[in-house]
């Protein structure tokens, strides 16, 4: 490029209007500071080029010269020239454009990287289409650019510009307005800007007029949506815009409005649903969002799922009716909301029911929904039936029998009261040998009979077998001792006798009939007891009973035998009048009624039920199971059958027996079938419960009896009528082995599924025997250990190695605080409440440290005046000053890696299926997953608890240290520092919390001793040691001869005692439900708590601490 | 000493603290051998520590014992010279009860100098007066008191049976009939509120717990005058609610609360409502727990 002498250029410039030269001269001096001689020439020349582009481009040149000094400060010369040349090109097209370009440059250049300048110029240029309107638009673009560039990444500016360009094809006016709006709105946006621009872009093709409205609406609208969800929301808008939704702006305002009213944290879920709808029928999304508020006022978010699924199904079949559904303009939708809103989910009342059941039963019952029980696959298969396994009560997940919540709750109450009654009134405590109170004992006699009967059967079978064997033997000359394989017929011990109830139930020849009668009679006994003991629930339970009665099948339609069982059921449901009874069996019915009435007595116990069952069975089993004509039935009143008498019973049985033998012409009629279950009474499985309890008990101590093998268990299950019953409903037989396996698992300790975590140090493995240890390395300490048998310390027995936990990510700390934000605030507030006023003098007291001079003088003056003086003349220093030092010891043993929520799999977000139907399923599963989140380990809860605690402790300024302990063997007790007691809280500590990992074993004693040593050095008046563990102390060689569990417990106890001698207050918190037994001996009279609900750990931990120190005073 | 005769006025009776006698037999239903134990301890001058949850009858027991021990037949006075002759039914073991609280200091118990128009005057505190008068001194919830009170308790509770008064520089030997009795509720889980062993080991301990259901029924019926059915149901409710200790409730329903509910019932308040205001709302502020307790109550009461 030729750079002529300056004077030449100046001469040329002079040809242009004089203002140009003037501007040039003015700029010249300033520019000299930035540019060299030669560069000035180029600079001047470029101005001339600009000025001579077109007729009116001299205006641009003036602007060029005017801004040059300012611009030159920010750009190197090559960049400067590049910038100038951009102006030149623009001037070529339109001088006005160039003028605006130069004008905005002053404020743009400081904020824009030089390499973007040509692109920026290009953006403006692309808006210019040669028309007057377009040049105004382009000029306006340059005008707003500084604001955009300052606040937006350049990439977004480009997207926005292209949006404006696209819009300009539709209307320059709108484009211009949007440009200005964008300047105001876009900078305030965060992450949502990009999706918003994408959505707007999509709008242009379908309804470009909406863009402006959207821009106007968006700032306010998005405030209503969770920050994390705005992106998804806009993306949804984009998808809708793409498929041609008309009023996106309305969607924007309505949608955000709707989302703002959704309960916290569920916005994401609602958007999930919307996404699902877009796939099906995009038009359904806006009505759905509009109805949402209404709907959620009536039902909960989790119920929404059911309603939504239904609508979605409708959409698939018929979009019209689907949309009407979502608009709540269809009957289906309305009635569905009606049912849902009155239905009651177990989840919502679980807490109340749990405490209710616990109060009634007096044991630490848990409530679960029935799905859980079925999921365990140990023999319970019906999801709709309530049940109990002795330690837990299972209830159906939802109740919607009644049109309002109150009644539905009463139903829950009636059902759970019945289940608890099994425990409270001892259904599972049946003892074969315990005498009945209302009946004479008949079972021994009948058991004899049964055994004889079996013996006879076996003998017959053996005879047949032996005959076969003989034939075989004679034919084949095989070893004749084959009969050895056949059991001795005299050996009658059956697996069923494993439990008392099993032994009893085995008496019945027709096991199913026997068990059915037993169930009815026991339920009858319980319902009666409930009515007597809990009169308050009478009306609710009578209502349930009456409704149940209405649904019972007609006795007349049933074969006689089944009819009599049904008759018992009717009577157990409190119907005694107008009962249809076959004429021939009037006495039998009366007898049954009087047997049943024996049980309607507060003194009757489960043994009475058993005896009653034996008698009822004897009667009913002697009645042929035949269909009887309707005319043969008569309405009977069985309210007062008269007292039961053994004689009458006996004569009736004899009579029936005779009748049976007399008419043994054509078989016994139809085979017996169990009656329909009585819904509210649920599943009653006494044998299973006794079995489980016994297996669990045997597991604890080495039983002297032969242990139950899986084969025996399978056989037992096969024979038990409880299982037989269910076989109809599900394909149980094939699963019997599976059941048996699961039951064994339930009963015993589950195999350890947790691998020791990755350690921080190598595992040393010294020999167990051996003597005193020496601490050679730095940061290692030696402690004695208590041997309770020797009643003495083993000197210098353990080496504690102090290590600092690695630093991880501080995000865990922040996350936990966020997850528990409301709880964290609550705890903090609580802590602040105990924050004492430090050392403040209180004046005018009747007694105190010293005379309060002012008061004393006043009193003295009063005295002189002869007036009784005020006697409050002392001051006292408020001694409430809080001086607490606390050490937290976290159990980092391998067992803390155990998942709390076993078997729940995390659902992966990424594999969302494309098919809408599958998507629904996936979504539902995801939703369920969300309720309980992912599975958590004990240690996670420990960590979260620690986080909350730190947060709270920082607010009151107690001195505290947090340590973890683990280890392997006595020479390697690991003591991890998370926050040393002298250390200040910092990000380091936050990061260390993240790295708390389950490691090896737990040698508590040594860890406690080390912590006590640390604490002892503290000056505080109150010193507390807080131990958080998940089980008993355990370690290799942490026992005498490697077997005695007590050794560890005793040593730990001794360590705690030592701590207390040092004026340290120890407190143990354990999440081990079985903790009560050993904690008692471990902690003695020191404080401890067993956490019943492990999920409450993060909450409980700070609260306990608060309680523990709340009344601290000097 | 203060004038002996109680001032009787139209609406209330005022006693000097050591003149307060339990005149009428208080109702107390023994559950075990606590009466024998207390009597023996009293004769042998052994201080007594009553342990148990709130409202299970500790205070009532002490009142009863004061009455019982004060009856002429039970009085132990071997010295012979009985100057005062007891009127029929009059009692000679006064009962001084002090409810301990966090700000109760030693001088609150012993006494202090007061200023009046003529200068300072020493006023005996309740403990001093009890020691002088030979009363049963009952320190209720003794752990609540400040630690400096142990200075007073220790010399009074061992063989010395003396009360040193630092401020006047004197020592008072306890009257022969004097007995210190303290109560203590081990249920409170504050580590900082525990009795020191040096203090504990100066007492014999009698443990109290809520009475068994049948006895509790009897007590409720007797104390509240409600019907047998209601008393029965209340005892049952108490038992059920106590099942929830450790499961959310800090302390179960006391017999006293059950009696309150019974009294409301005998005034015609519907049972469910009575249980709600007297028991449920008193026990907890937690809405869920309240609801659970109400459900239990509504199952038990029609």
């Amino acid at each position: 490029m030729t750079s002529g002498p300056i004077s030449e250029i100046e001469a040329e410039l002079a040809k242009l209007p004089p203002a140009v030269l003037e501007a040039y001269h003015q700029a010249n001096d300033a520019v000299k500071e930035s540019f060299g001689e030669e560069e000035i020439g180029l600079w001047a020349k470029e101005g001339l080029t600009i000025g001579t582009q077109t007729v009116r481009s001299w205006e641009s040149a003036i602007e060029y010269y005017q801004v040059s000094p300012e611009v030159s400060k920010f750009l190197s010369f090559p960049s400067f020239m590049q910038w100038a040349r951009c102006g030149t090109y623009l001037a070529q097209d339109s001088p006005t454009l160039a003028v605006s370009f130069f004008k905005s440059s002053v404020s743009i250049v400081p904020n824009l990287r030089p390499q973007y300048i040509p692109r920026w110029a290009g953006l403006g240029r692309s808006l210019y289409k040669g028309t007057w309107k377009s040049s105004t638009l382009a000029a306006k673009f340059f005008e707003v650019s500084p604001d955009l560039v300052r606040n937006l990444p350049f990439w977004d500016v480009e997207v926005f510009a292209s949006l404006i360009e696209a819009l300009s094809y539709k209307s320059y006016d709108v484009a211009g307005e949007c440009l200005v709006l964008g300047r105001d709105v876009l900078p305030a946006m965060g992450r949502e800007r990009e999706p918003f621009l994408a959505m707007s872009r999509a709008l242009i093709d379908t309804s470009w007029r909406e863009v402006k409205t959207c821009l106007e609406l968006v700032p306010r609208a998005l405030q209503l949506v969770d920050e994390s969800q705005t992106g998804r929301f806009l993306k949804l808008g984009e998808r809708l815009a793409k498929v041609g939704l008309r009023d996106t702006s309305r969607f924007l305002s309505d949608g955000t409005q709707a989302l703002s009213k959704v309960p916290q944290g569920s916005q994401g879920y609602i958007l999930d649903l919307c996404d699902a709808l877009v796939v099906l029928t995009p038009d359904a999304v806006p009505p759905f969002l509009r109805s949402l508020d209404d709907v959620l006022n009536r039902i909960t978010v989790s119920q929404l799922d059911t309603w939504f699924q239904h609508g979605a199904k409708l959409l698939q079949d018929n979009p019209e009716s689907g949309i009407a559904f979502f608009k709540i303009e269809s009957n289906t939708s309305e009635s569905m909301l009606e049912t849902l809103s009155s239905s009651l989910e177990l989840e919502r009342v679980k807490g109340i029911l749990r405490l209710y059941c616990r109060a009634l039963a007096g044991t630490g019952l848990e409530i679960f929904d029935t799905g859980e029980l079925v999921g365990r696959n140990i023999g319970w298969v019906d999801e709709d039936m309530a049940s109990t396994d002795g330690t837990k009560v299972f209830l159906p997940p939802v109740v919607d029998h009644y049109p309002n919540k109150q009644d539905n709750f009463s139903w829950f109450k009636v059902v759970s009261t019945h289940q608890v009654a099994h425990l409270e009134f001892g259904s599972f405590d049946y003892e074969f040998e315990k005498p009945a109170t209302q009946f004479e004992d008949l079972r021994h006699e009948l058991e004899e009979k049964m055994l004889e009967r079996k013996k006879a059967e076996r003998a017959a079978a053996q005879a047949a077998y032996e005959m076969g064997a003989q034939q075989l033997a004679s034919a084949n000359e095989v070893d004749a001792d084959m009969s050895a394989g056949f059991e001795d017929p005299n050996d009658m011990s059956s697996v069923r006798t494993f439990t008392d109830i099993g032994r009893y139930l085995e008496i019945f020849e027709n096991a199913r009939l026997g068990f059915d009668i037993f169930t009815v009679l026991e339920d009858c006994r319980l319902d009666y007891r409930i009515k007597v003991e809990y009169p308050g629930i009478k009306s609710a339970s009578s209502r349930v009973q009456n409704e149940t009665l209405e649904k019972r099948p007609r006795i007349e339609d049933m074969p006689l035998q089944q009819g009599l069982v049904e008759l018992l059921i009717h009577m157990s449901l409190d119907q005694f009048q107008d009962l249809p009874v076959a004429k021939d069996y009037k006495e039998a019915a009366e007898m049954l009624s009087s047997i049943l009435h024996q049980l309607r007595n507060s003194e009757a116990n489960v043994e009475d039920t058993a005896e009653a069952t034996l008698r009822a069975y004897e009667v009913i089993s002697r009645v042929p199971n035949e269909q009887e004509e309707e005319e043969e039935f008569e309405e009977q009143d069985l309210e007062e059958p008269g007292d039961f008498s053994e004689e009458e019973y006996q004569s009736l049985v004899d009579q029936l027996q005779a009748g049976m033998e007399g008419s043994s012409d054509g078989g016994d009629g139809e085979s017996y079938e169990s009656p329909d279950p009585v819904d509210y009474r649920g599943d009653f499985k006494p044998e299973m419960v006794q079995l489980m309890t016994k297996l669990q008990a045997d597991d604890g101590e080495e039983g002297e009896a032969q242990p139950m093998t899986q084969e025996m268990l399978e056989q037992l299950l096969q024979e038990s009528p409880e299982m037989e019953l269910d076989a109809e409903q599900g394909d149980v037989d094939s699963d019997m082995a599976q059941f048996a396996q699961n039951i064994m698992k339930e009963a015993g300790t589950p195999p350890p599924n947790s691998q020791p975590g990755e350690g921080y140090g190598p595992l040393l493995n010294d020999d167990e025997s051996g003597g005193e240890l020496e601490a050679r390395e730095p940061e290692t300490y030696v402690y004695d250990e208590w041997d309770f048998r020797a009643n003495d310390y083993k000197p210098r027995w353990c080496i504690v190695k102090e290590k600092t936990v690695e630093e991880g990510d501080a995000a865990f700390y922040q996350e936990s605080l966020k997850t528990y934000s409301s709880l964290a605030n609550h705890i903090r507030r609580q802590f602040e409440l105990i924050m004492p006023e430090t050392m403040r003098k209180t004046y005018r007291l009747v007694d105190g440290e010293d005379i309060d001079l002012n008061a004393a003088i006043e009193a003295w003056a009063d005295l002189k005046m002869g007036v009784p003086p005020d006697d409050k003349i002392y001051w006292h220093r408020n001694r409430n000053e809080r001086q607490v030092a606390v050490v937290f010891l976290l159990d980092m043993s391998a067992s803390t890696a155990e998942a709390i929520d076993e078997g729940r799999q995390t659902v992966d977000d990424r594999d969302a299926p494309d098919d809408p139907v599958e998507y629904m399923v996936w979504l539902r599963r995801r939703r369920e997953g969300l309720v309980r989140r992912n599975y958590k380990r004990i240690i996670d809860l420990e960590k979260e608890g620690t986080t909350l605690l730190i947060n709270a402790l920082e607010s009151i300024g107690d001195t505290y240290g947090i340590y973890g302990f683990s280890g392997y063997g006595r020479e390697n007790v690991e003591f991890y520092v998370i926050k040393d007691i002298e250390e200040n809280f910092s990000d380091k500590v936050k990061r260390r919390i993240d790295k708390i990992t389950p490691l090896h074993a737990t040698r508590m004693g040594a860890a406690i001793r080390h912590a006590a040593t640390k604490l002892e050095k503290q000056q505080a008046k109150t010193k507390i040691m807080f131990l958080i563990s998940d089980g008993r102390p355990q370690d290799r060689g942490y026992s005498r001869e490697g077997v005695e569990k007590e050794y560890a417990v005793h040593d730990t106890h001794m360590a705690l005692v030592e701590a207390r001698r040092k004026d340290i207050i120890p407190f143990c918190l354990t999440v081990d439900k079985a903790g009560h037994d050993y904690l008692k001996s471990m902690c003695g009279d020191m404080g401890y708590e067993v956490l019943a609900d492990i999920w409450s750990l993060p909450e409980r931990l700070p609260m306990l601490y608060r309680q523990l120190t709340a009344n601290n005073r000097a | 000493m203060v004038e002996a005769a109680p001032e009787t006025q139209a609406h209330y009776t005022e006693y000097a603290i050591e003149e307060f006698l339990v005149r009428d037999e208080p109702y107390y239903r023994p559950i075990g051998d606590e009466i024998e134990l207390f009597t023996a301890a009293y004769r042998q001058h052994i201080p007594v520590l009553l342990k148990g949850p709130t409202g299970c009858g500790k205070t009532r027991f002490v009142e009863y014992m004061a009455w019982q021990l004060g009856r002429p037949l039970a009085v132990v006075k071997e010295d012979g010279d009985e100057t005062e002759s007891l009127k029929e039914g009059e009692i000679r073991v006064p009962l001084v009860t002090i409810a301990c609280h966090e700000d109760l200091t030693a001088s609150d118990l012993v006494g202090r100098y007061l200023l009046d128009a003529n200068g300072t005057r020493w006023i005996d505190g309740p403990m001093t007066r009890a020691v002088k008068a030979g009363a049963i001194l009952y320190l209720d919830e003794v752990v609540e008191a400040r630690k400096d009170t142990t200075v007073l308790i220790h010399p009074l509770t061992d063989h010395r049976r003396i009360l040193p008064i630092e401020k006047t520089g004197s020592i008072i030997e306890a009257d022969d009939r004097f007995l210190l009795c303290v109560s203590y509720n081990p249920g409170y889980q504050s580590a900082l509120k525990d009795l020191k062993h040096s203090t504990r080991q100066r007492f014999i301990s009698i443990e109290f717990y809520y009475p068994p259901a049948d006895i509790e029924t009897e007590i409720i019926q007797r104390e509240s005058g409600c019907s047998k059915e209601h008393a029965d149901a209340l005892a049952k409710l108490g038992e059920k609610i106590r099942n929830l200790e450790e499961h959310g409730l800090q302390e179960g329903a006391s017999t006293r609360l059950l009696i309150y509910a019974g009294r409301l019932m005998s005034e015609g308040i519907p049972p469910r409502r009575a249980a709600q205001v007297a028991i449920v709302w008193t026990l907890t502020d937690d809405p869920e727990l309240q609801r659970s307790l109400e459900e239990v109550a509504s199952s038990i009461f029609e």
Side-chain angles (χ1 to χ4, degrees), chain A residues 348-356 358-365 409 413 417 424 532-538 846-847 859 863 866-871 873 876 879-880 1022 1024 1060 1065 1067 1076 1085 1087-1089 1092 1100 1104 1107-1114, chain B residues 102-103 105-108 111-120 144-148 167 188-194 197 200 233 236-237 239-244 246-250 272 286-302:
Chain A
R348 297 175 70 183
V349 293
K350 208 172 179 176
I352 294 166
L353 288 174
R354 174 167 53 220
L355 289 172
Y356 175 79
R358 282 179 178 177
L360 259 51
T363 57
L365 282 178
F409 181 78
K413 205 172 147 185
T417 309
E424 195 183 355
V532 174
E533 302 277 334
Y534 302 108
I537 206 170
K538 208 188 301 181
V846 285
D847 198 15
L863 267 180
V867 180
D870 189 356
D871 60 352
I873 55 157
H876 180 75
R879 297 271 205 91
N880 277 353
T1022 311
I1024 296 178
R1060 206 154 68 159
I1065 301 155
F1067 191 92
H1076 278 295
D1085 56 349
Y1088 70 88
E1089 178 165 308
R1100 190 73 187 135
L1104 263 178
Q1107 250 177 39
L1108 207 60
T1109 61
N1111 295 302
N1112 163 47
R1113 57 185 60 246
Chain B
E102 304 175 337
D103 287 324
T105 60
S107 49
D108 286 333
R112 57 165 55 93
Y113 280 109
L114 289 183
L115 287 166
D116 66 12
N118 308 314
T120 54
E144 295 286 344
R146 292 205 173 196
K147 296 277 186 286
D148 59 354
K167 280 182 179 157
Y188 297 143
Q189 241 190 359
S190 173
L192 298 141
K193 283 204 176 164
D194 209 350
H197 261 274
R200 287 179 84 132
K236 196 186 297 160
L237 180 63
E239 188 188 336
K240 299 298 175 200
I241 288 177
R242 285 167 204 152
N243 282 338
L244 287 180
E246 308 280 310
H247 294 302
L249 265 192
Q250 288 211 322
R272 280 186 183 178
D286 177 75
E288 191 175 84
L289 203 50
Q290 278 185 353
R291 175 83 195 274
S292 303
L293 296 183
E294 271 165 25
E295 291 303 337
V296 176
S298 74
S299 282
I300 290 175
F301 291 103
E302 277 180 81

Side-chain angles (χ1 to χ4, degrees), chain A residues 243-472:
Chain A
V243 295
L245 181 79
R246 287 287 136 138
D247 40 1
T248 308
S249 55
R250 183 134 177 240
F251 163 77
L252 208 57
S253 57
D254 288 355
T256 49
Q257 200 65 247
L259 282 180
S260 70
K261 288 181 183 148
V262 164
Q264 265 222 317
S266 339
Q267 290 190 350
Y269 169 64
I270 300 294
L271 289 173
D272 283 346
L273 295 181
C274 292
D275 284 347
L277 277 187
V278 174
V279 179
L280 290 168
T281 317
D283 286 341
V285 178
F288 168 64
L289 282 175
R290 243 169 310 193
S291 317
L292 195 61
D293 184 31
D294 232 14
V295 171
L296 285 183
N297 277 336
R298 299 169 66 175
I299 62 178
T300 65
V301 175
S302 47
Q303 287 172 329
L304 183 67
D305 189 60
T306 323
W307 180 77
F308 179 85
Q309 302 296 348
H310 194 86
K313 208 168 281 159
L314 275 180
L315 273 183
Q316 272 179 318
D317 304 340
N318 178 359
E320 289 296 310
S321 67
I323 287 171
F325 181 91
F326 283 114
K327 281 183 181 160
I328 328 187
E329 281 169 4
S330 78
N331 273 339
T332 345
S333 182
E334 183 60 40
S335 65
M336 198 151 171
L337 284 176
E338 197 78 21
T339 331
L340 282 176
S341 62
S342 61
S343 77
L344 191 58
E345 291 159 308
L346 177 62
E347 203 58 41
R348 297 175 70 183
V349 293
K350 208 172 179 176
I352 294 166
L353 288 174
R354 174 167 53 220
L355 289 172
Y356 175 79
C357 292
R358 282 179 178 177
L360 259 51
T363 57
L365 282 178
E366 283 294 335
I367 304 269
F368 286 106
D369 80 42
T370 40
E372 198 109 4
L373 182 62
V374 175
R376 271 154 65 187
N377 203 18
I378 51 170
W380 276 267
V381 289
D382 194 340
E383 286 215 30
D384 295 327
M385 301 280 266
S387 193
T388 176
D389 72 351
T391 56
K392 305 173 198 74
V393 171
F394 300 91
L395 297 172
V398 181
V399 176
D400 51 8
H401 296 327
Y402 303 106
N404 68 62
K405 280 202 159 50
Q406 219 176 346
D407 289 345
N408 281 325
F409 181 78
S410 305
W411 191 89
F412 260 138
K413 205 172 147 185
V414 169
V415 170
S416 42
T417 309
H418 187 89
Q419 291 307 323
V420 173
H422 280 305
L423 298 167
E424 195 183 355
F425 305 123
S427 290
F428 304 124
D429 300 339
Y430 179 76
E431 282 174 42
F432 194 85
E433 298 299 341
K434 195 171 152 194
T437 60
Q438 311 295 315
F439 294 96
E440 286 168 29
D441 292 344
L442 202 64
R443 59 192 175 283
H444 289 107
E445 189 186 320
L446 289 170
E447 188 182 31
E448 283 297 304
K449 269 193 201 162
M450 177 274 292
L451 290 176
E452 263 166 43
R453 188 181 73 227
K454 283 211 170 164
K455 206 160 140 185
E457 277 169 18
R458 288 212 182 177
Q462 191 181 17
Y465 178 84
E466 271 168 3
M467 225 151 78
Q470 257 169 19
Q471 283 168 356
L472 260 172

Side-chain angles (χ1 to χ4, degrees), chain A residues 726-738:
Chain A
D726 293 333
E728 291 182 340
Q729 290 152 8
D731 187 11
V732 172
D733 280 342
S734 58
D735 298 335
M736 209 60 86
Q738 186 61 41

Side-chain angles (χ1 to χ4, degrees), chain B residues 55-289:
Chain B
C56 67
K58 299 189 293 288
T59 305
R60 179 62 69 87
F61 173 65
V62 176
E63 270 180 31
Y64 177 79
M65 289 315 296
W67 175 82
Q68 165 96 352
L69 293 168
R71 278 191 306 176
L73 285 177
V75 167
V76 206
K77 196 148 191 188
E78 282 141 23
D79 300 347
D81 56 286
E82 286 198 37
T83 47
E84 35 183 339
S85 63
L86 282 170
K87 278 178 238 151
E88 185 63 32
E90 194 164 343
I91 305 130
R92 296 198 300 184
V93 180
L95 175 63
V96 175
T97 305
I98 298 167
C100 298
H101 55 86
E102 304 175 337
D103 287 324
L104 188 85
T105 60
S107 49
D108 286 333
L109 290 174
V110 161
R112 57 165 55 93
Y113 280 109
L114 289 183
L115 287 166
D116 66 12
N118 308 314
T120 54
R121 185 161 64 94
W122 173 260
I123 295 287
D124 277 344
M127 184 184 257
T128 314
R129 290 163 79 165
V131 169
K132 285 179 178 169
I136 292 180
L137 175 63
Y138 177 50
L139 299 179
D140 204 358
E141 299 292 355
V142 69
V143 275
E144 295 286 344
R146 292 205 173 196
K147 296 277 186 286
D148 59 354
T149 52
T150 49
V151 184
L152 305 173
I153 293 173
H154 284 199
L156 263 182
T157 45
D158 53 25
H159 64 280
R160 291 174 285 174
R161 284 169 64 83
I162 51 167
L163 178 66
I165 303 178
E166 189 198 7
K167 280 182 179 157
T168 60
S170 52
I171 284 176
I172 300 171
E173 268 184 28
D175 183 278
D176 200 38
R177 293 167 303 168
F178 173 79
L179 184 81
L180 181 64
C181 176
V182 300
S183 79
Y184 160 63
N185 183 350
Y188 297 143
Q189 241 190 359
S190 173
L192 298 141
K193 283 204 176 164
D194 209 350
L195 272 187
K196 279 196 202 161
H197 261 274
S198 56
T199 308
R200 287 179 84 132
Q201 294 201 6
R202 289 161 188 276
F203 294 87
I204 62 159
S205 305
I206 303 179
E207 288 212 355
F208 282 71
Y209 192 66
Y210 305 117
D214 48 338
I215 297 182
E216 194 162 33
T217 307
E218 193 185 317
I219 296 172
I220 294 170
Q221 198 183 351
R222 163 72 212 269
E223 285 284 284
S224 69
C226 66
S227 67
K228 170 89 171 70
E229 289 70 41
H230 284 162
D232 230 357
L234 278 170
K236 196 186 297 160
L237 180 63
E239 188 188 336
K240 299 298 175 200
I241 288 177
R242 285 167 204 152
N243 282 338
L244 287 180
E245 280 177 41
E246 308 280 310
H247 294 302
L249 265 192
Q250 288 211 322
E251 200 147 286
S254 63
T255 309
R256 178 168 44 224
L257 274 189
L258 299 178
I259 292 169
Y260 284 174
R263 284 193 187 164
L264 292 181
M265 287 177 202
S266 58
E267 288 293 328
I269 305 282
R272 280 186 183 178
R273 182 71 177 154
Q276 188 180 41
V277 297
I279 301 170
V280 177
W281 289 356
T282 314
L283 282 179
T284 175
D285 299 323
D286 177 75
E288 191 175 84
L289 203 50

Side-chain angles (χ1 to χ4, degrees), chain A residues 180-200:
Chain A
V180 178
L181 271 172
R183 176 191 61 189
D184 301 338
V185 168
L186 291 179
M189 289 196 203
R191 268 183 303 180
E192 65 271 23
R193 191 187 306 121
E194 202 182 314
F196 174 72
L197 289 173
M199 180 188 92
S200 309

